Amino acid sequence: MKQTLLLCMLMFSAFLSSQIKFENGYYINNAGEKTEVLIRDLDWIANPVSFQYKLSEANEVKTATIKDVQEFKAYNGDKYVRANVQIDRASQRLSDLTYKAEPDFKNETVFLKELVDGKARLFKYSDGGINRYFYQMNDGEIIALIYKPYLVSNDQVAYNMDFQKQLRESFTCKTDTQSSFTNIRHEEKALIILFVAQNRCLDPDFVEAEKTKTKQFNVNIRPRVNFSSFTAQNAGYNVDTDFGSQTTFGLGLELEYILPFGKSRWAIVAEPNYRYYKSSLTQFRNDSYIFTPIDSTVDYKTIELPFGIRYYLHLSPKSKLFVNALYVFDIPVGADSSIKRENSVFLETDFESGVEAAAGFGLGYSFNNKFGAEFRVFTDRSFFPENRGYTSNFKNTSFILSYNLF
């Protein structure tokens, strides 16, 4: 079991460090020259300061930095534009707020992610938990949109909403969307809608760039075969009970949320499922040359709750491998166990104290986002770790099929 877990963890590490495809794109250097390349698009959470590229599949990987590139884009990804801007990096968490209403601007050269192109352009900068927005009108200066929460007393927060005034004064073409600037929220979705409306008003031929929408939530039904074994030992009573290996069936419902970054490679999964293990046996213990029968039973029914992360490795548009790393805990349902010698009870428990949590590691395959299969292995766990001196060991591996409901 330990060797299998080690292999699973090594495979998981290999998946995380596996190559991400280089995609068709371009970059523009300081001289304004555009070069078609293959870009390693990481779908960055924080705005990058460099990126890797190749001139062709056969060429070596090179690194371009913000000092050498003024713009780059993977054609199926986001465009990044180098800009020298004023950035306020102050945290906006409540515990970090100050009584200062004005931003603490510092001049920096950064790559900004373009959210909306056109005569009115919208950009975003993210780093270390901060999100800042910038705009540009008619190829003019790129300016920070001013928004800052601040304290007016120990328990009262106010907001500097000067970005509303900035846009009201900068947007010369009035639309229904802009009828009330005081209601504009400092949020990405609301700002994108506003800038798209402005561009359509300024230019009747304006076409919003299409972005591939990824399904973010999946519900999968997952029948499974479980391969389990259970042993219990008590050195004081000289009892060593092996309940044996069993093959049982279970059924689960998986909830999967695809995270909005990393090119749809990362997901959070939760999978409540039903599992059971039932066994009984009679052993004989040598008590001063008298063989005493010991009757042992275990009847364990549980709702198992794995929760964790998933990483996909895309093999083709319809085919992908994945690995899971899970934290697993059980909710026993009508479970009990006993070990008895004639009228003496060595052990009797209904698992009220609970069962130790476990870790789970899985390797699977998904086809067309509809069908899937997974092999999953769990760390060993104890059913009654401190019950009358007994130790126990439950082992389990599972083979799981999957069908996407919606």
Side-chain angles (χ1 to χ4, degrees):
M1 179 65 72
K2 290 182 179 179
Q3 289 85 351
T4 305
L5 286 173
L6 178 60
L7 177 61
C8 289
M9 287 186 285
L10 290 174
M11 293 176 66
F12 185 72
S13 299
F15 266 64
L16 296 187
S17 59
S18 62
Q19 67 171 0
I20 295 174
K21 290 183 179 179
F22 284 77
E23 301 180 9
N24 292 326
Y26 72 88
Y27 73 83
I28 299 175
N29 63 18
N30 291 332
E33 299 168 338
K34 182 177 180 179
T35 304
E36 296 287 330
V37 294
L38 298 172
I39 291 177
R40 193 179 192 216
D41 185 2
L42 300 178
D43 197 15
W44 294 270
I45 301 175
N47 289 39
V49 295
S50 64
F51 62 93
Q52 292 183 320
Y53 71 95
K54 296 192 292 186
L55 295 176
S56 70
E57 288 290 356
N59 286 99
E60 64 178 348
V61 177
K62 296 183 179 181
T63 299
T65 70
I66 196 170
K67 294 180 180 180
D68 307 313
V69 173
Q70 55 178 295
E71 179 180 307
F72 75 94
K73 174 180 172 63
Y75 287 122
N76 290 326
D78 296 305
K79 180 196 290 186
Y80 287 89
V81 177
R82 186 180 67 191
N84 189 259
V85 293
Q86 298 289 317
I87 293 183
D88 176 18
R89 290 186 173 272
S91 170
Q92 294 185 351
R93 292 193 298 265
L94 181 61
S95 59
D96 296 328
L97 297 185
T98 68
Y99 290 90
K100 184 180 178 182
E102 296 303 316
D104 184 16
F105 281 131
K106 293 183 180 179
N107 188 267
E108 295 186 36
T109 299
V110 296
F111 276 131
L112 298 178
K113 181 167 75 173
E114 183 182 77
L115 300 179
V116 179
D117 195 5
K119 294 183 177 180
R121 302 173 75 186
L122 176 66
F123 303 93
K124 181 180 182 180
Y125 180 80
S126 299
D127 183 36
I130 69 168
N131 293 304
R132 301 291 184 263
Y133 298 97
F134 299 81
Y135 76 106
Q136 180 186 42
M137 301 300 299
N138 299 313
D139 297 323
E141 181 184 2
I142 297 179
I143 302 171
L145 288 172
I146 298 174
Y147 169 83
K148 184 182 179 183
Y150 62 96
L151 296 174
V152 292
S153 66
N154 288 334
D155 57 356
Q156 187 175 1
V157 178
Y159 297 87
N160 181 340
M161 306 284 282
D162 281 355
F163 77 95
Q164 296 174 341
K165 178 182 177 182
Q166 289 174 282
L167 296 178
R168 183 169 58 248
E169 294 175 350
S170 299
F171 283 10
T172 57
C173 192
K174 305 305 177 184
T175 69
D176 292 338
T177 309
Q178 300 153 228
S179 59
S180 177
F181 278 90
T182 57
N183 293 327
I184 298 171
R185 301 185 306 277
H186 189 262
E187 298 174 358
E188 181 174 328
K189 184 176 179 181
L191 290 172
I192 288 176
I193 292 173
L194 183 70
F195 273 76
V196 168
Q198 177 66 188
N199 280 301
R200 286 175 176 163
C201 183
L202 291 170
D203 180 6
D205 297 326
F206 172 80
V207 177
E208 183 181 4
E210 292 187 6
K211 292 190 176 182
T212 303
K213 292 185 178 180
T214 303
K215 183 181 177 184
Q216 286 193 291
F217 192 75
N218 294 297
V219 177
N220 305 306
I221 188 167
R222 291 172 53 96
R224 71 205 53 223
V225 181
N226 298 310
F227 307 96
S228 309
S229 65
F230 179 54
T231 60
Q233 303 85 26
N234 189 309
Y237 287 129
N238 191 25
V239 174
D240 189 350
T241 306
D242 185 348
F243 288 93
S245 300
Q246 287 192 4
T247 300
T248 59
F249 299 92
L251 183 66
L253 188 68
E254 179 185 77
L255 309 177
E256 178 187 42
Y257 176 69
I258 306 296
L259 295 173
F261 57 84
K263 308 292 283 187
S264 301
R265 293 182 179 91
W266 293 95
I268 296 175
V269 293
E271 187 188 355
N273 66 87
Y274 176 75
R275 180 171 52 76
Y276 68 93
Y277 177 92
K278 185 176 182 179
S279 181
S280 62
L281 72 157
T282 299
Q283 299 171 285
F284 291 90
R285 191 180 71 169
N286 188 344
D287 290 329
S288 301
Y289 303 102
I290 299 176
F291 290 92
T292 305
I294 300 174
D295 296 320
S296 303
T297 64
V298 60
D299 185 0
Y300 187 68
K301 306 180 186 71
T302 181
I303 301 297
E304 187 178 68
L305 295 174
F307 177 83
I309 59 172
R310 172 172 292 162
Y311 181 81
Y312 283 105
L313 177 63
H314 296 265
L315 304 176
S316 72
K318 290 188 176 182
S319 182
K320 52 190 176 183
L321 296 174
F322 64 84
V323 289
N324 295 332
L326 305 164
Y327 177 81
V328 186
F329 59 96
D330 286 5
I331 301 176
V333 181
D336 56 52
S337 177
S338 67
I339 300 175
K340 300 179 180 180
R341 183 185 64 180
E342 295 180 343
N343 296 324
S344 301
V345 177
F346 287 170
L347 174 70
E348 193 164 36
T349 179
D350 59 4
F351 299 102
E352 289 181 355
S353 60
V355 177
E356 285 184 342
F361 301 92
L363 173 64
Y365 173 78
S366 174
F367 178 75
N368 204 26
N369 293 321
K370 197 70 176 177
F371 305 97
E374 177 187 349
F375 176 74
R376 183 179 296 174
V377 60
F378 301 85
T379 56
D380 299 348
R381 67 185 96 172
S382 176
F383 275 7
F384 29 85
E386 297 179 1
N387 197 321
R388 297 189 183 182
Y390 268 87
T391 60
S392 62
N393 192 21
F394 180 75
K395 301 175 183 287
N396 187 56
T397 58
S398 298
F399 178 73
I400 306 168
L401 297 177
S402 180
Y403 178 78
N404 180 255
L405 296 176
F406 55 86

